[in-house]
Amino acid sequence: MSFGLDAASEQISKWIRKPLHQEEARRVFALCRRHGIASLAYLMIGFIRDTDETHDEATRFAHVIRPDLLTIDYAHPYPGTEYYQQNLKSFSSEVQISRRAQAEPAIAISHLSPAQIHERGRKLLRQHRRRPSVVFSLARALVRLYVSDKISA
């Protein structure tokens, strides 16, 4: 089951007007684990107002909700969107809208280049995938899928 959580920082979620209900998200992911449902969380980083603190908050949140799978996307200031309009004065001519959509950072933020933002996303994914509890939960969900396929066949 997939969940688009967008910003995993309370501060950033308020700023982009997409409220993050952390306690509700914790309960939903715990229910998925309890019932053997594989879960996927979509988190977004690289907002123009991201800081070390908001990134750390997003990392902690991903660790707390413990989805089986985690996808990191990068905020893009698409012309015509509210995000673009809110920050038009902040964007330099260096805004790069990726051909790969949100798979790559679009802008430098505060003290980080797009390459550094991308590396933060990769680090978050590596940390997530190495957690024994995540590996165990995903393995359990895959075994349940395999067994249910054998039973129904």
Side-chain angles (χ1 to χ4, degrees), residues 1-3 29 31-33 35-41 66-69 137-142 144-145:
M1 189 169 287
S2 301
F3 300 93
F29 283 92
L31 282 169
C32 286
R33 280 190 299 281
H35 295 286
I37 299 169
S39 61
L40 166 62
R66 210 174 77 216
D68 295 309
L69 301 169
S137 179
L138 186 56
R140 186 178 64 207
L142 291 173
R144 283 186 178 169
L145 283 172

Side-chain angles (χ1 to χ4, degrees), residues 45-77:
I45 64 173
F47 291 94
I48 198 161
R49 292 189 185 177
D50 263 334
T51 63
D52 291 338
E53 292 78 25
T54 60
H55 178 78
D56 291 346
E57 184 182 356
T59 299
R60 285 190 303 274
F61 182 67
H63 290 322
V64 168
I65 62 171
R66 210 174 77 216
D68 295 309
L69 301 169
L70 179 63
T71 297
I72 302 297
D73 293 315
Y74 301 92
H76 274 238

Side-chain angles (χ1 to χ4, degrees), residues 13-107:
S13 69
K14 286 178 187 172
W15 173 66
I16 64 169
R17 297 186 184 124
K18 290 189 175 187
L20 174 64
H21 304 285
Q22 289 188 354
E23 190 53 43
E24 185 177 332
R26 285 184 192 107
R27 284 193 306 270
V28 166
F29 283 92
L31 282 169
C32 286
R33 280 190 299 281
R34 185 178 322 138
H35 295 286
I37 299 169
S39 61
L40 166 62
Y42 292 96
L43 299 180
M44 195 168 288
I45 64 173
F47 291 94
I48 198 161
R49 292 189 185 177
D50 263 334
T51 63
D52 291 338
E53 292 78 25
T54 60
H55 178 78
D56 291 346
E57 184 182 356
T59 299
R60 285 190 303 274
F61 182 67
H63 290 322
V64 168
I65 62 171
R66 210 174 77 216
D68 295 309
L69 301 169
L70 179 63
T71 297
I72 302 297
D73 293 315
Y74 301 92
H76 274 238
Y78 292 112
T81 64
E82 186 172 346
Y83 177 58
Y84 184 86
Q85 294 304 319
Q86 285 175 331
N87 298 287
L88 188 57
K89 293 175 187 166
S90 301
F91 299 137
S92 69
S93 59
E94 297 173 22
V95 172
Q96 299 294 318
I97 302 299
S98 169
R99 291 183 187 158
R100 296 184 56 215
Q102 289 88 5
E104 297 173 344
I107 56 173

Side-chain angles (χ1 to χ4, degrees), residues 6 9 12 52 103:
D6 293 330
S9 156
I12 297 296
D52 291 338

